[in-house]
Amino acid sequence: MLNIIGGIKKRTKLDVPIKNVRPTSSIKREAMFSILESNALKKKIDIYSNRCFLDLFAGSGSLGLEAISRGAKFCYFYEINKDVVKTLEHNCLKICKPNNFKIIKQDITKSLFREINNLLSVIFIDPPYTLVPFNNILNNLLKTNLVSKDTIIVIESEKKIKINFPSLMEIEEERYYGKTKITFLYMKAS
């Protein structure tokens, strides 16, 4: 079992599929949200109020649901595994109302994000460690009008993976937790 660690649904238990997922641990989620909130405060950005999040390779949905518990208006979840989607739907209905989320059952590595109608505040990208789709996903996001100068992109990857980011993006911060690297990206100031 996995728990929501902050916000109005704190301590709510989330179900985790037996296989095909690697949920982000409570320690890493707490660190991610602390960094997100701290950086947003410095930049005078409210990442939650009337804002939309995107949780790619959603699995149990712990990242997007944590955001909703903390005040995000809406989250899009991308998950392709049918068995995992059942658990994700169940978890979403535990944490929020149906008008606070949308699950998109699609291969994210090929997505052009046409299902998303709102500007995104935070994007979580947490694929299986054996998959390195970052450049393709980031380039496809840049082709949309969903990313602004205030959008924060959080990537969870294996520590040893070197990611070449699009030139329009810059690393704000990187943190390491065991075998995991968490990277926070922003659009470069123009």
Side-chain angles (χ1 to χ4, degrees), residues 47-59:
I47 59 171
Y48 298 121
S49 181
N50 290 318
R51 299 297 184 105
C52 294
F53 280 60
L54 175 58
D55 189 347
L56 303 178
F57 305 96

Side-chain angles (χ1 to χ4, degrees), residues 57-134:
F57 305 96
S60 66
S62 65
L63 293 171
L65 293 172
E66 186 73 43
I68 287 177
S69 177
R70 291 170 184 247
K73 172 180 102 172
F74 193 89
C75 187
Y76 294 94
F77 296 91
Y78 276 75
E79 179 56 58
I80 194 167
N81 184 299
K82 291 175 186 164
D83 295 327
V84 175
V85 166
K86 290 177 191 172
T87 302
L88 176 59
E89 287 171 338
H90 179 71
N91 285 339
C92 285
L93 292 171
K94 273 188 192 182
I95 302 301
C96 54
K97 296 177 180 155
N99 62 342
N100 294 123
F101 71 93
K102 181 175 183 179
I103 297 172
I104 296 129
K105 302 164 196 153
Q106 187 180 102
D107 181 352
I108 190 58
T109 62
K110 297 175 184 165
S111 181
L112 299 176
F113 303 102
R114 291 189 180 113
E115 307 77 18
I116 299 175
N117 304 317
N118 307 342
L119 189 65
L120 299 167
S121 179
V122 177
I123 300 168
F124 295 109
I125 307 175
D126 181 15
Y129 283 171
T130 55
L131 191 63
V132 188
F134 305 109

Side-chain angles (χ1 to χ4, degrees), residues 1 14 17 35 60 70 73 75 85 90 102 114 123 135 141 149-150 156 159 163-164 176 180 184:
M1 281 290 207
L14 299 177
I35 292 166
S60 66
R70 291 170 184 247
K73 172 180 102 172
C75 187
V85 166
H90 179 71
K102 181 175 183 179
R114 291 189 180 113
I123 300 168
N135 241 341
L141 280 165
K149 66 176 181 56
D150 294 334
E156 188 173 339
K159 186 197 280 190
I163 305 168
N164 295 315
Y176 298 90
T180 302
F184 295 81

